[in-house]
Each structure stands twice: as C-alpha cells, then as structure tokens.
Amino acid sequence: MSNVPALYLVIALAPLAGAVLSGLFGTGFLGRPVDRRAAHMITIAGVAISAIGSVVVLADVLAGNTFDGAVYTWSLIGDARLEIGFLIDPLSAMMMVVVTSVSLMVHIYTIGYMADDPGYQRFFAYISLFTFSMLMLVMSNNMLQLFFGWEAVGLVSYLLIGFWYTRPTAIFANMKAFLINRVGDFGFVLGIGLLFAYTGSMHYGDIFGQAQQLAGETFPGTDWMLLTVACICLFIGAMGKSAQVPLHAWLPDSMEGPTPISALIHAATMVTAGIFMVARFSPLYELSDTALSFVIVIGAIGALFLGILGIIQNDIKRVVAYSTLSQLGYMTVALGASAYSVAIFHLMTHAFFKALLFLAAGSVIIGMHHDQDIRNMGGLRKYMPLTWITFLLGTLALVGTPFFSGFYSKEHIIEAAGAANVWGARFAYYATLIGVFVTSLYSFRVYFLVFHGKERFAAHDGHGHGHDAHAHDDHGHHGGTPHESPWVVTLPLALLAIPSVIIGAMVIDPMLFGDFFDGVIAVLPAHPAMAELASHWHGWVAYGLHAFTTAPFWLAVAGAVVAWYCYLVNPAVPQAIHAKLSGINKILENKYYVDWINEQIIARGTRCLGRGLWQGGDRGLIDGLLVNGSARMVGWVAAASRVLQSGYIYHYAFAMIIGIMALVTFFVLIHQ
C-alpha cells in the first residue's frame, strides 16, 4: 500500500484538527463560530476517521504489511537524527484500535454527560487533543516522539482533571497529578538519555540492534549493568504514568474531573502508556533480570494493596479508580514475568470493561442527579435497567468470570507469575491470587449497594450531591426518582459491553500463543513463563471449563458471596468488623499514609529546602555577601580615602616625601 504513510498521518492528525477547530473557534479564543453542536460533530468526526483508519491499518498489519519510517526530520545533531516517524506493527496497530475506539465511545457519551456544562466545546477540544497525543505515543518509532506523546498526554490530563477550575479540590488534584508525573518523567528522561548516550540513536530499531553490546556495558563508576539502570529509569517513568506504587497517589484524586475523562484517562489509554512502553522495550528488559524483578515486585504490591483500598471507598468513581490501580498492578506483574503479550492482552480487555464500568458509573451519577455516594443509592436496577445490565457485565469481566474477556487475561497473569523464575515471582503469584478475592469483594460491594437492596435515595432527596453537583447544573434536577440516562449515554455502554464479554475468547489464541507479536516482543529462553502457559493451552472453551476447578474462580465466588452476605443479608457485619479493626481501618482510610508522607515530609521538606536556599543562599550569601557586601566594601574604602584627601598641597608633598623615604629604606634594606 503506497499511500499507507498518508493514512497514518490522517489517523494521527484528524483528532488534532478537531481539537484545534473546537478549541480555538468554539471557546471564545478566536470568537465562537463553532457552536456546541458543531464542536461535538467536528471532534467526533475526527476521532471516527481515526478509528476507521486504525481498523484498516490493523487489517493491513495482519496481512503482513508493517511500516517503520520517518515522516519528518526535526533536527540533525552530528550523526544523530531526531525524527518524527511511525512504527506500525501488531503492537502499535492493536493499541491504535483500542485508543480510538474507546475514545470514540467517550466522545459520544460526553454529548449526554456534559449537556448542561458551560465548558462543552472546551471539553471536546481537550479529549480530542488527548486522543492525538496518545496516538503519537503509540505510533512512534523513536524515543523523541515517544517522549513528546508521553508529555502531551500528561499535559492534557492536567487540563482535564482540573476542567472545573473554580473548585479548589480539582486544582489540588491536577497539581498533584502533574507533580507526581514529573517525578516519574525525570526517571524516564534519564533512561532515554542513557540509551541515547551509549547508542547514538533515538530510533527503536537501532537501540534494539545494539542490545547485546549494551548488555556488556556497566554504568560508569559502578559495577551495575548499564541496561539494568536504563530499564529501571524507564520503568520509573512508567510508574508515574501507569500509577504504580509509590507514584500512584494522583489517580484516585483525579476523579475530580468529569466522568468521561475518568474512562478515557484512567481506564483505557493514558495509564496504560507505561505498560505499552515496557512491552515495546522488551528486547532490553529481557537482558536484565534485576529490572524484571523490580517490575514484578512493584506490580504485585499495587495489585494487592491498592485493591484493598477499594473496599472502604464510598464514592462510586473512586472504587473504580482503585480497581484500575489494582489491574495496572496485574499488568505490571505480567511484564515482570516476561509475559509481555499477556500484559498487552490484559491492557486491551481491561480497556473495554473498565471504560464500560466508568461510563456506567457516570450513568448512575446522572440518574442519581449527581450524587456519587453509594450509601445513598440502592435498588436502582428497576429504574436503570440498561445501566444495570452493562455494569453487571463489566463487573463480571473485571472479577474474571469464566468465558468473559477479563477472565482469559487475568488468569494467565496469575499463571505467568507462578511460572516466572525471576526474584519476587513467588510473592507476585500469591499477591495476584489474593487480589482476585479482593477485586471480587469491592466490585460486588458496589454492585449490590447500587443496584440491589433497599432504596436509600428517598431519604437523601435534595441534598447529598456529589462532586459533580458543584460544577454541573445537575441536568436540571435536584433530588427525585432516579431515571435511565439518554441514548447518547446508554449506546456507548451497550457497544462497550460487547467486547467486554467476547473479545477475550476471540483474540487470545493469536495474541498469546499465535504469531501475532512475532518480531515485536522478545522473550528469551531463560524466562519460561510464556512457554509454560503455551504447554497448558488447549483452546478457549477447554480453558474456560477448566477454570471451575481452579483457585482463582473460587476466590472470585468467595468474594461475591462475602459481599452479598455483608451488604445485602447482614449489613451489621461490616460495621462490626469496622469497630473491631479500627486501627487497620485508620491506615486504610489514610491510604497507607502515602499522601501524608508526600505532603508532610517530601513537599514540606522540599519547601523548607527551597526557603533555606532562598534565605541563606540567595538573600544571605549572594545578595548579602557578594552584591551588597562588595558595595559596602567599596563604600568603606571610599570613606577611608576621603579622610586622606584634604585638598592641601603641603599634605600631598609630605605624603610623597614619606613615600620616597619608605621606598629608599626598603631598597637599602634589600640590597644589604
């Protein structure tokens, strides 16, 4: 296909064109020729073009046509070329389809969700710009463009989280997201810099071609492997973007933004950028067991301990946010076990069912007139049947119910952790296994409290409005009976529910055990996890039937039963546990004190250091000693010399005579 590079440009630039038109001409920046209707038409058209183009490209890639080439040379530094280029292979093509399809659903959903918001055009401009940034990231063939996309999604997420900029909580949340991501990005830049310094190229192919030489290099001044340092630095970037412990604290707070962006950023696209990046750099990670151990341990901590926090949350969006953190931990465990294809597979299945859960939560919030507290809901099943069934399908996929999409990816991650031979794999195996029970418990807790049991909203009419109420105009409602959402909200739910159920069984064979990722993802024979999984694979039906005899299935059932008993049958049990374990509960409510450490120790320490450098260094040393001190010294010398300058000739003559006598005496004494 000779015109293919042109198609790639269209896919990347169509959302950008929509964002520019809606952002510049719909927000008052350059007048308002683009009204609300035109804004969503333009941006949806742009993303729809990208989505259709991405499907065409995926079909083309499956036919065996890949592309790796520069589109534009940005700069030449010596022999190093800094280019804008595309790498279109099975990994990037699959990511393009996921990003554009979920983004399209979110765009359509936004029409209904943001209907009464004054920043309607601005919102569409932001989400369209986000889609462009994400496409640039996944399509890149070099680290420069990867970094551009990486920072661009960070910038747009900052704008989206703080979309309602009059609210102090939103401003705090977007600042927190921005700062934590900068910590990760610092590591990311160091990793890119190291690889560039030793290879002299930014291009993936060149770097991977030199992987064996790099494996023999040590980090200057140490006996550490250079690749270990570079891979850990790159992964620190992924920890910020993909919200891994300890750089995860920004993600739950980012729920301050409108619900559509929760689905876009925190489910399908931005948070998975880190996972995609590690999979892309698999030829390097494979050569460093230390880096893989670091990855798998970090992932396991997140998968278990961040999931536990979801059990005590009462805000419907925050529960789904903690679920995202936990699932990102699962993906990271798969990366550390060298099961990169399983991580990408879970990324894809998770994108669909998590976007579905976020959008269904948003639909519940609309139905509840912008109350987000699950304690004020209950019995919504009969008022919102479509939202109920889609939320249930998303929940079943999330907990890993056999034959649903999440089951195939999640089960394989647990097995990969069990089969991995890097340090920390055993811990990761048990963490992911316990995580299944935890996931099931918090997921069904939300499901039962929202859709079943007695109706609790009647008692809360007219108040108890959640976050969104402050900025929305409540869709014209204040309290009252819940209602099903309009079709622009329920249509994306129905369309996302289909892949959430069936996509796992459809694509598992080629993606995990076929040749889909051949030549893209490297796995060395020293890491046996994938080979082990392949030896047990007998097709999706057999695998699904076998699940009924495995521990994860029964743990998921146990979680659902415990949630049903505790929140529907006997609500006194959680209260009793809460009273008995108040110490543990306090730790959980304070989110393991990560926020406290960030705010009280790191942020306050940094501010104290800054103030010390300003007061002591800038004011004291530079201004006080150097600038003002030298001026004062000149003043003193001038004052002393002014005393000597009398203006009488005989005083000067006397001084000259004294001077000559001193000189003569000096020379006489020297020459004796």
Side-chain angles (χ1 to χ4, degrees), residues 583-603:
I584 294 173
N585 200 66
K586 194 166 185 309
I587 294 170
L588 295 179
E589 278 179 354
N590 286 293
K591 307 173 206 160
Y592 306 120
Y593 294 96
V594 170
D595 280 343
W596 185 87
I597 292 165
N598 283 342
E599 287 163 29
Q600 300 302 322
I601 298 175
I602 298 172

Side-chain angles (χ1 to χ4, degrees), residues 228-451:
T228 298
V229 177
C231 287
I232 287 176
C233 283
L234 288 172
F235 182 66
I236 289 169
M239 281 162 68
K241 203 61 85 210
S242 294
Q244 295 297 307
V245 178
L247 303 180
H248 67 277
W250 65 270
L251 194 136
D253 284 23
S254 64
M255 296 299 117
E256 290 294 334
T259 301
I261 66 120
S262 301
L264 194 58
I265 291 182
H266 312 126
T269 52
M270 178 178 139
V271 288
T272 56
I275 310 296
F276 163 80
M277 185 275 296
V278 175
R280 176 63 82 206
F281 281 84
S282 61
L284 303 185
Y285 279 88
E286 279 300 281
L287 296 166
S288 171
D289 279 9
T290 312
L292 289 174
S293 288
F294 182 74
V295 170
I296 202 166
V297 168
I298 293 283
I301 294 169
L304 177 58
F305 291 100
L306 297 180
I308 291 170
L309 292 178
I311 300 170
I312 63 156
Q313 301 299 319
N314 293 314
D315 181 318
I316 186 167
K317 277 171 65 178
R318 279 186 184 256
V319 179
V320 188
Y322 278 108
S323 141
T324 302
L325 286 172
S326 173
Q327 295 309 307
L328 286 165
Y330 273 87
M331 294 175 211
T332 308
V333 164
L335 294 171
S338 291
Y340 305 97
S341 51
V342 181
I344 297 294
F345 181 46
H346 192 53
L347 182 160
M348 182 193 69
T349 58
H350 173 265
F352 291 116
F353 65 71
K354 190 52 62 72
L356 170 63
L357 282 171
F358 266 119
L359 297 185
S363 176
V364 168
I365 294 167
I366 297 172
M368 288 295 298
H369 314 294
H370 292 278
D371 186 356
Q372 292 180 204
D373 195 325
I374 56 177
R375 292 169 296 188
N376 303 341
M377 300 176 189
L380 292 185
R381 188 178 57 166
K382 66 178 186 195
Y383 299 101
M384 307 177 75
L386 224 158
T387 304
W388 161 69
I389 192 74
T390 50
F391 192 95
L392 177 59
L393 291 172
T395 302
L396 290 171
L398 169 62
V399 302
T401 312
F403 299 106
F404 281 71
S405 63
F407 155 75
Y408 290 102
S409 51
K410 208 167 165 183
E411 195 89 1
H412 277 103
I413 291 175
I414 299 166
E415 286 185 19
N421 60 355
V422 293
W423 184 87
R426 189 57 33 197
F427 163 65
Y429 174 69
Y430 288 113
T432 48
L433 207 54
I434 301 163
V436 171
F437 172 78
V438 172
T439 304
S440 181
L441 180 58
Y442 64 66
S443 302
F444 280 105
R445 170 178 175 260
V446 169
Y447 170 71
F448 288 134
L449 283 175
V450 172
F451 294 102

Side-chain angles (χ1 to χ4, degrees), residues 35-123:
D35 63 359
R36 293 166 76 94
R37 184 177 167 83
H40 73 235
M41 294 292 281
I42 292 166
T43 50
I44 289 172
V47 175
I49 290 167
S50 286
I52 295 163
S54 298
V55 172
V56 170
V57 166
L58 181 62
D60 192 47
V61 167
L62 289 172
N65 300 312
T66 57
F67 177 84
D68 181 5
V71 180
Y72 173 70
T73 301
W74 184 59
S75 176
L76 266 170
I77 305 172
D79 295 333
R81 299 177 77 86
L82 302 181
E83 299 171 330
I84 305 294
F86 294 140
L87 170 58
I88 308 297
D89 59 10
L91 178 58
S92 51
M94 193 273 300
M95 285 294 293
M96 284 156 66
V97 171
V98 170
V99 168
T100 51
S101 57
V102 173
S103 178
L104 182 60
M105 294 299 107
V106 168
H107 273 72
I108 297 168
Y109 177 93
T110 301
I111 300 172
Y113 193 87
M114 301 295 283
D116 302 325
D117 198 281
Y120 190 80
Q121 290 101 314
R122 179 165 60 95
F123 190 82

Side-chain angles (χ1 to χ4, degrees), residues 402-403 407-415 508 513 533 536-548 550:
F403 299 106
F407 155 75
Y408 290 102
S409 51
K410 208 167 165 183
E411 195 89 1
H412 277 103
I413 291 175
I414 299 166
E415 286 185 19
I508 182 166
F513 309 108
L533 296 186
H536 296 300
W537 179 250
H538 302 295
W540 66 272
V541 177
Y543 195 78
L545 292 170
H546 171 67
F548 294 104
T550 60

Side-chain angles (χ1 to χ4, degrees), residues 519-538:
V520 181
I521 286 172
V523 180
L524 294 182
H527 300 129
M530 283 311 295
E532 180 75 16
L533 296 186
S535 67
H536 296 300
W537 179 250
H538 302 295

